[in-house]
Amino acid sequence: MIYGLIFGVIAALIVGGLLGFYIATKIFKKQMRENPPITEDQIRAMYAQMGRKPSEQQIRQIMNMMKSQGAK
């Protein structure tokens, strides 16, 4: 009887931990999609600091690269 209770508690902790990890991962990925860590204006500012003027194609390429890295 006591072993069943101990097993149940351990199983509940493991399932709860896995479920919590899965939910936290989904929420984190959703937040990263909605609020990317870098914006197009920040990319333009980085290029300006380097003394270059980026084309829209370069900016889109960098943004797509960032999105593909976030999707992994």
Side-chain angles (χ1 to χ4, degrees):
M1 169 123 167
I2 191 79
Y3 294 116
L5 180 64
I6 292 172
F7 177 75
V9 169
I10 291 172
L13 287 173
I14 291 172
V15 170
L18 292 175
L19 189 61
F21 178 76
Y22 177 76
I23 291 171
T25 303
K26 285 291 189 183
I27 291 172
F28 180 74
K29 286 182 180 180
K30 180 178 179 260
Q31 289 292 327
M32 291 302 285
R33 270 194 315 272
E34 292 175 357
N35 305 309
I38 190 166
T39 63
E40 292 180 9
D41 292 333
Q42 290 172 325
I43 294 170
R44 286 185 184 94
M46 285 191 313
Y47 270 91
Q49 287 177 350
M50 292 186 291
R52 296 181 57 195
K53 181 154 176 63
S55 67
E56 281 300 311
Q57 181 182 7
Q58 288 173 323
I59 293 172
R60 295 284 174 217
Q61 185 179 15
I62 292 171
M63 290 301 289
N64 288 336
M65 186 173 56
M66 296 287 283
K67 287 179 185 175
S68 70
Q69 290 293 322
K72 289 184 178 177

